[in-house]
Amino acid sequence: MEAAVQQIVSGDGAAAEAGTTAVLNALRDGTLSVLGLVALLKRPLTDEQDHEERARAVHLLSRVVADAPATLQSGDVSVMADFLSAKLQDWRCVEAAAPGCLALLQRHKQQQQLAPLPTDAALQLISRFCSVHVQGLVYRGRLTCYQILLEVLKVL
């Protein structure tokens, strides 16, 4: 699994996509836990020098939240919400974190049996989202951020 994670954070095109598929499958079949994945991503997630690797690692966690939501237990949901919303304040990771934040906000509506996003985690995510400079993002990032805004407005 370490090799797959390395392929993902190095951004090796097709190899990165194959690595992402392998990680998602390992999470789904239980051979890898979310905590285990975070442990494998420790270096790239905390690397202050390599912004691209950090963004790719955050993007992988967003993919886990969006594409393998059943792998997240209720405690994982709060931790991922806190982590991904914090990454909204890291300009280099906004576009990578936003899809995961959106998936967390939509989580309980899509599948009722999933552990819901706790209210305090949702409020913290929304408060951090308010400081994102959406206009500075490329199209895909802006689109995701506007979808987050729509989710927030639906709740009000």
Side-chain angles (χ1 to χ4, degrees):
M1 204 48 46
E2 286 181 47
V5 168
Q6 185 56 39
Q7 288 175 332
I8 295 165
V9 297
S10 67
D12 238 354
E17 190 56 38
T20 301
T21 302
V23 167
L24 290 173
N25 288 337
L27 285 164
R28 287 183 188 120
D29 68 23
T31 57
L32 179 66
S33 68
V34 175
L35 182 59
L37 175 60
V38 171
L40 290 172
L41 290 170
K42 181 181 178 184
R43 188 198 52 76
L45 286 174
T46 58
D47 189 349
E48 293 290 326
Q49 304 303 314
D50 195 340
H51 307 296
E52 290 179 9
E53 274 195 5
R54 190 171 70 248
R56 287 186 202 108
V58 171
H59 180 72
L60 176 59
L61 292 179
S62 282
R63 289 280 307 265
V64 167
V65 170
D67 297 344
T71 62
L72 297 176
Q73 304 302 317
S74 57
D76 296 336
V77 173
S78 293
V79 171
M80 292 299 279
D82 183 47
F83 177 79
L84 290 173
S85 65
K87 288 301 176 184
L88 290 174
Q89 296 175 329
D90 179 351
W91 177 248
R92 309 236 187 203
C93 294
V94 171
E95 289 183 43
C101 292
L102 178 62
L104 286 167
L105 289 171
Q106 295 174 334
R107 171 179 183 80
H108 194 61
K109 287 187 247 175
Q110 293 175 347
Q111 296 178 348
Q112 294 295 328
Q113 72 274 18
L114 294 177
L117 178 64
T119 304
D120 58 335
L123 291 173
Q124 184 176 31
L125 189 152
I126 291 165
S127 70
R128 288 179 175 167
F129 172 73
C130 290
S131 67
V132 174
H133 182 70
V134 177
Q135 297 86 350
L137 300 172
V138 297
Y139 174 76
R140 182 174 292 188
R142 285 193 314 266
L143 176 64
T144 305
C145 286
Y146 289 137
Q147 289 172 324
I148 291 172
L149 181 60
L150 285 173
E151 285 299 315
V152 171
L153 291 175
K154 286 178 188 177
V155 176
L156 298 177

